[in-house]
């Protein structure tokens, strides 16, 4: 049953493709095509700018100073701990590599 639907779909697409290829389209000016491309590009840039400004406004609305301070404090404490433990690890590694002297 699925093969029939696939066959019908292929035939319909084939007929539509022949219709599109067979339809006579008058020659358009080459200048019209770049204008359309320019309009499309400007439209996309406009949508991108709108989305970007909406995201920026949302970020500014939800920005919490106290949360930012907490994140900075957490980052400072965690980097201090990591550097301390990295120093301890490197000392242990060097003492293992040197051996007892």
């Amino acid at each position: 049953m699925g093969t029939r639907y696939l066959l019908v779909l292929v035939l319909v697409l084939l007929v539509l493709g022949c219709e599109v290829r067979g339809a006579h389209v008058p020659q358009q000016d080459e200048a019209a095509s770049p204008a359309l491309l320019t309009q499309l590009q400007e439209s996309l840039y406009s949508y991108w700018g709108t989305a970007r400004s909406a995201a920026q406004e949302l970020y500014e609305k939800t920005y919490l100073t106290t949360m930012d301070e907490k994140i900075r404090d957490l980052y400072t404490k965690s980097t201090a701990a990591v550097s301390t433990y990295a120093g301890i690890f490197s000392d242990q590694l060097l003492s293992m590599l040197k051996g007892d002297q």
Side-chain angles (χ1 to χ4, degrees), residues 3-77:
T3 310
R4 279 189 191 168
Y5 289 120
L6 183 62
L7 180 62
V8 169
L9 179 67
V10 168
L11 289 176
V12 167
L13 289 175
L14 182 65
V15 168
L16 287 175
C18 290
E19 287 293 321
V20 168
R21 191 176 323 138
H24 177 66
V25 177
Q27 291 290 334
Q28 296 178 351
D29 294 338
E30 291 297 322
S33 179
L36 179 64
L37 181 62
T38 305
Q39 286 178 345
L40 181 64
Q41 188 176 17
E42 289 174 358
S43 175
L44 288 175
Y45 282 142
S46 171
Y47 289 140
W48 175 255
T50 304
R52 202 172 107 196
S53 65
Q56 182 69 28
E57 289 174 10
L58 182 63
Y59 173 75
E60 289 172 358
K61 280 183 187 178
T62 59
Y63 180 76
L64 301 174
T65 329
T66 56
M67 187 59 100
D68 188 46
E69 291 173 3
K70 287 180 182 179
I71 291 172
R72 288 177 192 262
D73 186 47
L74 180 67
Y75 176 76
T76 304
K77 288 179 181 178

Side-chain angles (χ1 to χ4, degrees), residues 86-99:
I88 292 170
F89 178 73
S90 63
D91 287 343
Q92 292 291 323
L93 186 64
L94 285 175
S95 68
M96 285 175 36
L97 290 176
K98 285 184 179 179

